[in-house]
């Protein structure tokens, strides 16, 4: 059984990321599983802090991006929109190069709120950050769109 609502293969997440923070940070969707969404982000000049390690805010941006995409895919997008309501993150280990990969799974999917858990690991599968994000589910058609439609 899948978490997702409708035909997620027809949803073009990369096209909607154009012209956003998602694109600027180099966040990519890697895999849509029946029970999880997986994405990755480079650890490079765009995502490190002055000390040369992954910026905690970049990890949080990755976590909220994946949670938001998961929430978006889990609802009837013609009837509902999801927005971030709360996020927390524990930064476990520094990383200075390569990629971080985030896997988002549901802790709870309710009618009015979702809680998602996001685990971010390095290229050696070591835990870098763990986050939890709560999304509010709003009764309105989703406003996620491509850059042309936002213009």
């Amino acid at each position: 059984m899948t978490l997702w609502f409708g035909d997620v293969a027809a949803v073009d997440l990369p096209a909607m990321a154009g012209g956003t923070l998602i694109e600027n940070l180099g966040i990519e969707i890697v895999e849509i599983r029946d029970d999880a969404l997986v994405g990755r982000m480079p650890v490079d000049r765009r995502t490190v802090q002055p000390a040369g390690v992954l910026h905690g805010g970049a990890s949080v941006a990755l976590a909220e991006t994946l949670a938001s995409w998961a929430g978006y895919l889990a609802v009837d997008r013609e009837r509902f929109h999801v927005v971030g309501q709360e996020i927390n993150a524990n930064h476990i280990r520094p990383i200075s190069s390569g990629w971080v990969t985030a896997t988002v799974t549901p802790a709870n999917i309710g009618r009015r709120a979702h809680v998602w858990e996001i685990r971010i690991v390095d290229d050696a599968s070591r835990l870098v950050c763990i986050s939890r994000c709560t999304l509010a589910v709003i009764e309105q058609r989703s406003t996620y769109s491509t850059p042309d439609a936002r213009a």
Side-chain angles (χ1 to χ4, degrees):
M1 182 168 198
T2 183
L3 291 170
W4 317 123
F5 184 89
D7 181 14
V8 298
V11 177
D12 191 353
L13 298 176
M16 287 187 272
T20 69
L21 178 73
I22 300 164
E23 179 182 59
N24 289 333
L25 294 179
I27 296 171
E28 306 170 353
I29 299 301
V30 175
E31 183 180 9
I32 301 174
R33 301 179 191 158
D34 284 345
D35 63 344
L37 183 64
V38 182
R40 69 183 193 153
M41 179 178 67
V43 180
D44 64 15
R45 63 173 179 69
R46 297 170 292 179
T47 58
V48 297
Q49 53 162 281
V53 297
L54 180 63
H55 193 293
S59 293
V60 171
L62 175 61
E64 186 160 353
T65 296
L66 270 281
S68 294
W69 282 133
Y72 171 78
L73 294 175
V75 299
D76 179 347
R77 294 166 291 284
E78 293 297 317
R79 295 183 52 218
F80 299 103
H81 182 62
V82 296
V83 294
Q85 191 170 32
E86 190 274 337
I87 189 164
N88 67 47
N90 294 101
H91 306 291
I92 309 298
R93 106 176 344 97
I95 177 174
S96 58
S97 64
W99 290 81
V100 287
T101 300
T103 302
V104 59
T105 56
N108 186 65
I109 298 179
R111 288 185 0 208
R112 297 287 173 230
H114 295 180
V115 179
W116 296 91
E117 180 179 273
I118 308 94
R119 296 178 64 84
I120 301 173
V121 299
D122 65 12
D123 289 328
S125 298
R126 296 176 300 187
L127 188 62
V128 171
C129 178
I130 188 164
S131 179
R132 189 174 56 232
C133 184
T134 302
L135 302 177
V137 180
I138 300 169
E139 197 162 343
Q140 75 172 45
R141 182 179 185 175
S142 179
T143 58
Y144 283 13
S145 61
T146 62
D148 292 342
R150 288 191 299 265

